[in-house]
Amino acid sequence: MPHPLARIIDQLKREPSRTGSLVITVFGDAIVPRGGSVWLGTLLEFFRILDVDSGVVRTAMSRLAADGWLEREKVGRNSFYRLVKKGRQTFDAATKHIYDPQPSDWTGRFKLLLIGNGEDRDASREALKNAGFGSPLPGVWVAPSGVPIPEEAASAIRLEVSAEDDSGRRLLRESWPLDRTADAYLKFMKTFEPLRGWIGRRERLSEADAFTARILLIHYYRRVVLRDPLLPTALLPNDWPGRAARTLCGEIYRGLLPPSEKWLDRNGLNENGPLPAAGAELARRFGG
């Protein structure tokens, strides 16, 4: 196994178990573009490369199904999984945020959402975070004007405020932990820069290593970028590392994509046989 990838896997093993989160990454990055359904055996083969026990994977799949993310279909003795509607909607929003964020049409104003106590507040929290909203106070959510409001927060009270005065700038600072996000981007780049060097030297990666590296790349990047509100450039520090992190991630991803897709061609199965080919949108990720 290539040294940079081995080091990344060792780092993953030192963290608390994230098997369920890795399953989510596999579905969002690799399975959804190829039909959305996959045989459990394909997932077990991937996790075998990471030295994760099959029992741990089966438990994670059961929990994701119980939590309403996945549904299982049995065909004989084989199990196949696909996203349910709730999971697919979340993935669709996250996919745009990760691979193809749209430039912000900055107007100098922020959108405020006010959400009262009760179930609406809990139900909307993750959707608002994933849509790029920050929260300076409980029940108050903020985003640059023009950011779409997720369906889960459709009933919120909506206001707009200017960001040009000191109060607006304070609102910005208290709504998003930009220092923590910047540190996370720097850590991501430190972890994956050696892999870019490896690919840049055209060192050979096996198809299995390429797929593993691709999933871990997006797994780590997703954890940072989905907490990044992707603020307009005018509101960010000049040395903001998010731009460099996206460039790094895109270069590595494009280098890994062809061999990683070959691994899926050989190992990816659903209830009808081999996984269907991905559409053209896969090749367009990260501006490809």
Side-chain angles (χ1 to χ4, degrees):
M1 182 175 290
H3 173 68
L5 180 56
R7 187 167 58 186
I8 294 168
I9 291 176
D10 286 343
Q11 178 177 320
L12 182 73
K13 289 179 178 179
R14 291 194 296 269
E15 298 178 358
S17 177
R18 295 184 179 274
T19 303
S21 181
L22 272 169
V23 169
I24 294 294
T25 302
V26 172
F27 267 90
D29 184 71
I31 304 304
V32 168
R34 301 188 64 150
S37 176
V38 69
W39 175 44
L40 176 61
T42 299
L43 297 173
L44 293 177
E45 176 60 20
F46 164 68
F47 280 100
R48 185 190 65 78
I49 299 171
L50 295 178
D51 196 27
V52 176
D53 184 79
S54 62
V56 173
V57 180
R58 293 175 189 275
T59 298
M61 299 300 290
S62 296
R63 286 176 178 168
L64 289 169
D67 290 342
W69 287 95
L70 303 173
E71 61 183 1
R72 185 179 72 164
E73 179 181 355
K74 290 279 287 185
V75 180
R77 299 179 62 183
N78 295 320
S79 294
F80 301 88
Y81 287 86
R82 70 168 53 249
L83 292 170
V84 299
K85 182 179 179 182
K86 164 192 167 182
R88 187 57 186 263
Q89 289 174 336
T90 301
F91 275 116
D92 288 345
T95 293
K96 294 177 183 177
H97 202 90
I98 295 168
Y99 304 104
D100 188 29
Q102 297 303 304
S104 173
D105 184 15
W106 175 235
T107 64
R109 299 181 68 79
F110 280 99
K111 180 183 300 181
L112 262 65
L113 302 184
L114 307 181
I115 301 177
N117 291 321
E119 294 183 3
D120 286 349
R121 180 178 292 187
D122 293 335
S124 61
R125 182 180 295 114
E126 281 303 308
L128 284 164
K129 286 182 180 179
N130 289 336
F133 282 79
S135 180
L137 296 167
V140 179
W141 293 87
V142 185
S145 182
V147 172
I149 298 174
E151 180 180 334
E152 292 87 341
S155 62
I157 298 171
R158 308 179 189 192
L159 303 170
E160 280 203 354
V161 298
S162 170
E164 300 304 325
D165 55 21
D166 289 342
S167 294
R169 297 294 174 180
R170 183 180 175 188
L171 179 67
L172 170 67
R173 291 194 302 270
E174 296 185 2
S175 297
W176 293 281
L178 292 182
D179 289 345
R180 281 187 288 167
T181 303
D183 288 344
Y185 273 132
L186 293 171
K187 182 179 179 181
F188 167 81
M189 289 190 286
K190 182 179 179 180
T191 299
F192 284 92
E193 181 64 46
L195 187 58
R196 175 164 64 176
W198 187 276
I199 294 172
R201 293 193 300 271
R202 302 194 182 280
E203 299 283 355
R204 186 179 182 280
L205 281 170
S206 71
E207 293 168 3
D209 286 343
F211 185 77
T212 303
R214 169 184 162 186
I215 295 302
L216 294 182
L217 174 77
I218 295 302
H219 177 67
Y220 280 96
Y221 185 67
R222 176 173 72 92
R223 283 159 55 179
V224 185
V225 78
L226 289 185
R227 292 297 179 257
D228 183 349
L230 303 180
L231 294 171
T233 301
L235 300 178
L236 292 171
N238 292 331
D239 59 350
W240 179 246
R243 293 180 283 268
R246 174 168 292 278
T247 298
L248 173 68
C249 188
E251 289 182 11
I252 297 174
Y253 191 84
R254 289 191 294 272
L256 295 172
L257 195 57
S260 66
E261 285 294 291
K262 289 181 181 178
W263 186 88
L264 277 175
D265 290 340
R266 298 179 190 276
N267 296 276
L269 297 172
N270 62 21
E271 57 271 33
N272 299 315
L275 295 180
E281 66 276 4
L282 181 65
R284 291 195 292 267
R285 287 178 171 177
F286 293 105

